[in-house]
Each structure stands twice: as C-alpha cells, then as structure tokens.
Amino acid sequence: MTAVQIQNALVLCTILGFATMEWASRRYQNNVNATGNDTKLEILMFLSVLAVTQPLAIFVTSKMGAAWFPQYKGALADLPWWGMVGILLLLDDMTQYWWHRLSHTSFLWPLHRAHHSAEYMSIRITFRNNFFYYLMMPGLWFAGALLFLGFGGLVYAGYIVVKLLVILGAHCAWRWDEPLYRIRALHPLMWVLERTISTPATHWAHHAITNADGVGHYKGNFGNLLFLWDIIFGSAHITRRYPEQVGLVDDQLFGQERWYHQMLFPLLQSQREHTALKFGGRIYQDPQDRSPTA
C-alpha cells in the first residue's frame, strides 16, 4: 500500500471508530438534534473540503512551485521525520490556531459562524464551516507548499491521521476524556494531556453558548491538534467540565440561518434581521455577553 492509501484507510477507520462510539454510548441518539438544514451544510462542507479545497490547494501550490521554483521540488525530502513534524506543527497547526483565533473577530466571524451554529457536538460538525473559511486557511496552502518541497510519504500521512484523530475526538458526542478524569491514578497524565492536545472538555467549552457558568470559553481554546498553543498564547481555559448548551443565542431567538447562507456567504446573504451573514448586518447583542465576537 502507498502512503496515501494507508492514510485514507486510517482516516476511514478513525471516522468509523468515533461514529461507532457515539452510537454505542447513545450520546448521538440522546444529544444530536440535527435538522435537515444542518445535514445539508455538514455533508456539503465535508465534500467540498475533501474534493475541492484541499485538492485545489495542493494542485495550485504544486503548479506554482513547478513554474517558479522548479529547483526546490523535493528539496526537503531528506529531513528527519521529527524535523518534518516540527515544521508541520508550526506551518499547519499553529497557523490554524491563529486563523481560528482571528475568525472570532467581527471581520472574519461570518466565515466561521457556521461551525458554532450547531446546537450539538458530534464528529459530524468537524468540518462544518463556510466554504471560504477553508479556501483562505493559510495552513492548507502551507501544507501544499510543503508537499511540493518533499513532505510526502508516511510522515505526512501519519501527521494527518493523528491530527484528525484529535480533532474528531474533540468534537465527538462521546466524551472520551470524561471517564479518565474520574481515575485518580490518571490525574497526572490527564494534566499533561489536556495541556498538550485538544480534548472534549476544552473544545466543548469553546462551543458553549455562554461564558456565564464559568465553563464556557468561546473567546479561547482555539487549538486544533495542539492545545499547547492556547497555553503559550494565553487563551486557555481548563475546567474538566462541559457546558450545558452549545450553539448561538441569536439562532435560538431568531431561527437558524439557511445552510446556503452559512456555507456561501458573502456570495449568498441572509435576509434575517439580526445576522452576521449580510453586509452591514449586526448580530444580536445579548445583555449577558453571549456573542462569540462580543
């Protein structure tokens, strides 16, 4: 099997594994209240990332590299695996941290809002975002450039699988970290783990509808693979607890935005009174400061 085939097989096993645990634990049946609107958005965004955005970034960077810098093709192929992983963590994962953090400012919030409009946590929302959120994500383009420079093979495949494992786990309706917190002997390990990678407890807090309970932290916990970036850059909030509700208060008050507005803004714009998905629109300002961009 090639590295790509191994990567794809492991990715499929990871998705099926988490899906099985969501179902077997009954967390999916009891907590995921998705509508048809949610399903269209999530399926189409997953397919667009898989079939359009990621291949496009790889194709364009490869063509640009071949046209402008042909002498550098494969130039970094002989780096040791740990060197490749370190560069990937900086140029892919750390840049994604900052892109995510910037997406919680008023200017970029419309491109990320769809990810927070889900009123449930599940692996199905992992790639739920605006189409242009991914198209403009620096890490995807850096990854394409690194592939041109020789970052292929099992190192890149392994990095992708591990990152997806952590990200899916952080969104999963089955909270894998919850029982581990109750085992006293594992407390030192969990202390290190929750400060290193994203976990359900830290990432669910980022999706909380409010910060008022001391658990929610939608203005932080931005890490994707590494939660360490939140520790380093001062945006971490660790409670080992889970918010009672996730989602957006303006959707609760005024109804969910249509999937095509969430996915294709600014090409398609909402007609809702309180919305971030139209030019000049303003989201509802809750007196308890429950807006993720407030």
Side-chain angles (χ1 to χ4, degrees), residues 196-274:
T196 305
I197 64 171
S198 294
T199 64
T202 55
H203 198 68
W204 283 44
H206 175 71
H207 280 259
I209 201 169
T210 178
N211 287 351
D213 59 2
V215 177
H217 192 55
Y218 49 68
K219 296 181 183 178
N221 293 13
F222 299 112
N224 289 272
L225 168 53
L226 293 186
F227 190 76
L228 184 62
W229 305 127
D230 288 283
I231 300 292
I232 293 173
F233 298 117
S235 55
H237 182 62
I238 301 172
T239 66
R240 298 191 175 183
R241 295 158 60 200
Y242 309 88
E244 291 187 10
Q245 281 188 295
V246 298
L248 298 174
V249 68
D250 54 314
D251 278 1
Q252 287 191 348
L253 294 172
F254 307 108
Q256 194 179 53
E257 297 277 18
R258 302 306 301 164
W259 68 266
Y260 40 85
H261 294 142
Q262 297 188 70
M263 180 177 175
L264 295 173
F265 175 88
L267 299 182
L268 300 177
Q269 298 186 34
S270 172
Q271 299 303 310
R272 206 176 73 179
E273 180 182 0
H274 294 280

Side-chain angles (χ1 to χ4, degrees), residues 45-208:
M45 276 308 305
F46 175 74
L47 292 176
S48 73
V49 172
L50 189 69
V52 180
T53 313
Q54 188 177 49
L56 180 65
I58 294 172
F59 175 78
V60 171
T61 51
S62 175
K63 290 298 183 182
M64 290 174 63
W68 298 343
F69 309 104
Q71 68 273 27
Y72 293 114
K73 183 174 177 60
L76 301 181
D78 293 328
L79 280 179
W81 70 266
W82 51 266
M84 288 188 180
V85 170
I87 292 172
L88 283 165
L89 288 173
L90 290 174
L91 292 187
D92 174 66
D93 198 54
M94 188 182 73
T95 60
Q96 190 171 355
Y97 165 88
W98 282 107
W99 179 244
H100 187 187
R101 187 165 179 168
L102 288 171
S103 296
H104 278 259
T105 62
S106 57
F107 179 66
L108 288 177
W109 172 244
L111 302 187
H112 183 53
R113 181 193 186 282
H115 191 63
H116 286 265
S117 65
E119 297 181 355
Y120 48 86
M121 295 297 291
S122 168
I123 60 169
R124 59 182 285 163
I125 76 166
T126 304
F127 296 101
R128 175 182 172 133
N129 259 303
N130 179 280
F131 175 79
F132 298 102
Y133 176 84
Y134 287 114
L135 188 65
M136 297 167 59
M137 182 183 287
L140 277 181
W141 296 90
F142 282 131
L146 290 173
L147 285 171
F148 173 77
L149 292 171
F151 277 51
L154 289 175
V155 175
Y156 184 76
Y159 173 81
I160 292 298
V161 170
V162 170
K163 183 167 183 174
L164 188 63
L165 180 71
V166 171
I167 295 172
L168 287 171
H171 289 91
C172 190
W174 168 63
R175 303 187 299 218
W176 61 263
D177 57 344
E178 190 171 22
L180 302 182
Y181 290 134
R182 294 196 290 264
I183 302 173
R184 189 173 185 83
L186 293 180
H187 284 187
L189 174 63
M190 295 305 294
W191 188 94
V192 173
L193 194 65
E194 66 191 354
R195 285 163 175 77
T196 305
I197 64 171
S198 294
T199 64
T202 55
H203 198 68
W204 283 44
H206 175 71
H207 280 259

Side-chain angles (χ1 to χ4, degrees), residues 20-39:
T20 299
M21 290 308 301
E22 284 193 341
W23 192 263
S25 65
R26 298 200 61 81
R27 292 285 308 177
Y28 186 90
Q29 299 93 312
N30 295 336
N31 297 280
V32 177
N33 54 340
T35 66
N37 192 60
D38 291 312
T39 300

